[in-house]
Amino acid sequence: MKKIKITLLSLLTILTIVGCTRDYEEINTDPNNPVEIPGHLLLGTTQRVYMNVMHGVLGGAGGDMGAIWAQLWTKVQYNDEERYVPRRDVMDNIWTSTYTSVISEAKAMEELAIAEGNTNLQAAALIMQASGYQFLTDLYGPIPFTQAINTEILKPSYDDEETVYNGIINMYTQAANLLSNGTGTITASSDLFYGGDTTKWLKLANTLKFRALMRISSTRNVSSELQALVNSGNLMTSNDDNAEVSYLTNQPDANPIYELIDFGSRLEYKINSLLVDFMTTSNDERLNVYAAENASGDIVGKPAGLGDQTPLPNEGLGYTYSNISGLGDFYLNPELPGVLMSYYELKFLMAEAANEGLISGGLSTAETHYFDGITASFEFNEISPATYLAQPGLVFANQNDARQKIGEQKWVSLFAQGFEAWTEVRRTNIPALTPALEGDINEVPSRYYYPTTEASLNQNNYNAASSSIGGDELISPLFWQ
């Protein structure tokens, strides 16, 4: 009898164990924390973070070390950055955020897309990675590229800018090829740029490639590559093709310019007098959109700098909160889109390419692209270009005149794309900027400092990269300058 009880007890124990473990994995899987996710779910966050980093005013590349260094904006207080004394932690965070939340996420999205057989999403992931790398190399110079985003390499080497540019141009090319014969879909709700429209992604790949080729056009012959892109017919054709994130009305999902200046009450951000003078002289109606009237009902700017020996705000000089115009309501709109690439920028780049003989058409074609760019910029700002375009002074007199006017119009059009405006000024030296008054250095910066952590955590590679460009200095030139 005792043996029968033991046997029954053992059987019950076994059955209990089997019953408890049969659905163990199903029962202990948290539906809110999946171990695998569809690749498209990484796209929207990557786009949003990227645009926030690119357009951030105080903590990104758009304002203090973008539009202000391009002398489109200025400040009447707290203007160390304007005098070329940047916050090192901001430069650190831009590097970290771009690598971890843009490039790394896009790389993971690419790998998931490959596993899913979704070549269209794979192409979008390549475009995001390439653009992120271009953003970083245009900010810092040599950067980790071939050894980046590799968990087995804790101290990646830095690649020179030529290597990085060759790599990103290849990535744009690969993306365009995938999109031309793509499989799978880009989920509309996950795509903040184009709502899943792969034809627009194809235009973006080619347009970003055109921009990249123009950026390095002083370093090698890019004519045949540019002409091939023009001949393809797959470049942006209107503002409807702009790659931009549409922001929402409330923080923290509003445009970063609104969030800091309006919602955050950082009203020291104002309009630079260089821009006001240029636009006033040329009767440019966009000025009334860019700038708000001051307390007297006028639009008044301030030059870059001051604030060291000369205190700010300064009633004697008239550089005060009430006297100097702030940004206009259009650019303090929480729903102002964050632009990665625009049709109007492409048209100015095409105008430059035609004027320099890099694509066919010469001066007359350059002028056509130039007028198209002005028109598109006015349309973006929701005003008619008709009166402005009727001015005879806009037409080209010769190649040198065209070069200057194209560069100036591109600078004006990039008013809220501070990083891109500063980058194009660095590349073309148009307009030729006078360094900020009472600046810590006597020229407009060429680059950002490397992150402070690189000197300690990746010292040998940091030292090699710094030495290759003449030192980790704000004025060390980039290879396309």
Side-chain angles (χ1 to χ4, degrees):
M1 187 69 182
K2 185 176 181 180
K3 288 183 179 181
I4 293 173
K5 289 183 178 179
I6 293 173
T7 302
L8 287 173
L9 181 61
S10 299
L11 286 171
L12 286 171
T13 302
I14 292 170
L15 288 171
T16 301
I17 293 171
V18 171
C20 289
T21 59
R22 180 180 300 156
D23 299 320
Y24 177 81
E25 290 185 5
E26 181 178 334
I27 293 170
N28 288 279
T29 299
D30 184 352
N32 296 316
N33 291 285
V35 294
E36 293 185 10
I37 62 171
H40 71 85
L41 292 180
L42 299 178
L43 180 56
T45 300
T46 301
Q47 292 169 323
R48 177 62 62 84
V49 170
Y50 190 21
M51 290 303 93
N52 285 353
V53 170
M54 183 173 285
H55 293 281
V57 176
L58 182 64
D64 280 327
M65 298 175 295
I68 285 178
W69 284 1
Q71 296 185 18
L72 293 164
W73 302 4
T74 188
K75 296 175 82 173
V76 292
Q77 196 173 11
Y78 313 121
N79 72 333
D80 281 354
E81 292 86 356
E82 185 172 33
R83 297 189 303 100
Y84 314 137
V85 186
R87 303 179 191 215
R88 296 296 293 266
D89 63 323
V90 172
M91 293 179 171
D92 292 2
N93 290 337
I94 289 171
W95 172 285
T96 301
S97 295
T98 306
Y99 269 118
T100 60
S101 299
V102 179
I103 296 173
S104 180
E105 289 290 283
K107 179 65 176 176
M109 178 167 53
E110 179 194 6
E111 293 170 353
L112 289 169
I114 291 172
E116 295 165 4
N118 188 341
T119 59
N120 283 322
L121 183 62
Q122 179 188 352
L126 284 167
I127 292 168
M128 296 302 296
Q129 289 175 74
S131 181
Y133 280 121
Q134 185 176 350
F135 177 60
L136 287 175
T137 197
D138 286 346
L139 285 175
Y140 299 92
I143 59 168
F145 177 67
T146 55
Q147 293 187 355
I149 319 301
N150 186 333
T151 56
E152 296 181 358
I153 301 176
L154 300 180
K155 297 181 179 182
S157 62
Y158 288 56
D159 294 286
D160 61 58
E161 296 155 85
E162 182 178 9
T163 299
V164 177
Y165 258 93
N166 287 339
I168 63 177
I169 289 168
N170 287 338
M171 293 168 82
Y172 289 139
T173 302
Q174 183 184 351
N177 290 337
L178 289 170
L179 288 161
S180 295
N181 302 284
T183 60
T185 60
I186 300 175
T187 303
S189 59
S190 296
D191 180 8
L192 303 184
F193 286 168
Y194 295 127
D197 190 333
T198 56
T199 61
K200 291 185 183 296
W201 275 101
L202 174 58
K203 291 180 180 181
L204 177 61
N206 287 325
T207 301
L208 288 174
K209 182 179 175 181
F210 196 100
R211 177 203 268 174
L213 289 168
M214 286 301 295
R215 190 141 299 158
I216 64 169
S217 59
S218 64
T219 70
R220 68 174 176 86
N221 188 343
V222 297
S223 178
S224 61
E225 295 165 276
L226 290 171
Q227 189 64 55
L229 289 171
V230 175
N231 294 344
S232 74
N234 284 317
L235 293 168
M236 290 180 175
T237 56
S238 74
N239 282 337
D240 289 338
D241 294 329
N242 291 354
E244 55 187 39
V245 165
S246 296
Y247 286 101
L248 303 180
T249 55
N250 298 313
Q251 129 138 3
D253 297 315
N255 185 286
I257 299 173
Y258 159 82
E259 287 195 352
L260 184 81
I261 297 176
D262 192 316
F263 183 83
S265 298
R266 297 299 299 265
L267 303 180
E268 68 267 22
Y269 292 90
K270 303 290 185 178
I271 304 299
N272 196 292
S273 56
L274 179 67
L275 180 68
V276 173
D277 293 346
F278 177 83
M279 297 184 78
T280 301
T281 301
S282 60
N283 302 307
D284 194 330
E285 298 145 299
R286 286 172 292 183
L287 180 59
N288 296 313
V289 179
Y290 288 2
E293 293 178 348
N294 67 6
S296 301
D298 300 316
I299 293 178
V300 179
K302 168 194 163 291
L306 302 178
D308 186 14
Q309 295 87 21
T310 305
L312 289 175
N314 194 301
E315 188 69 46
L317 294 173
Y319 301 147
T320 67
Y321 280 83
S322 62
N323 290 345
I324 303 302
S325 296
L327 275 65
D329 288 342
F330 183 88
Y331 285 92
L332 295 179
N333 180 356
E335 296 180 276
L336 178 74
V339 180
L340 170 62
M341 184 69 207
S342 66
Y343 170 65
Y344 48 86
E345 183 182 356
L346 169 65
K347 296 305 288 187
F348 291 126
L349 290 171
M350 293 180 74
E352 178 188 350
N355 189 55
E356 303 300 336
L358 299 175
I359 60 175
S360 62
L363 195 65
S364 62
T365 297
E367 192 169 80
T368 299
H369 290 311
Y370 159 81
F371 278 114
D372 286 346
I374 294 173
T375 299
S377 175
F378 269 77
E379 290 173 349
F380 179 85
N381 286 280
E382 300 179 1
I383 53 177
S384 170
T387 302
Y388 185 73
L389 292 177
Q391 298 181 105
L394 288 177
V395 300
F396 298 159
N398 51 51
Q399 185 186 42
N400 287 334
D401 182 54
R403 184 179 295 122
Q404 184 71 25
K405 287 176 176 174
I406 292 166
E408 289 170 345
Q409 286 294 333
K410 174 148 42 70
W411 173 69
V412 170
S413 75
L414 294 171
F415 175 74
Q417 294 166 248
F419 158 73
E420 192 63 23
W422 170 57
T423 299
E424 283 296 283
V425 169
R426 287 183 290 159
R427 181 178 72 87
T428 65
N429 199 33
I430 300 173
L433 302 180
T434 300
L437 300 170
E438 301 178 7
D440 191 59
I441 55 178
N442 60 2
E443 60 185 271
V444 177
S446 301
R447 59 181 291 275
Y448 283 6
Y449 292 118
Y450 283 125
T452 52
T453 53
E454 286 294 288
S456 57
L457 300 180
N458 194 11
Q459 186 177 49
N460 291 339
N461 291 316
Y462 160 80
N463 288 339
S466 299
S467 297
S468 73
I469 57 174
D472 186 10
E473 306 292 342
L474 292 178
I475 59 174
S476 296
L478 303 184
F479 92 122
W480 42 256
Q481 288 182 292

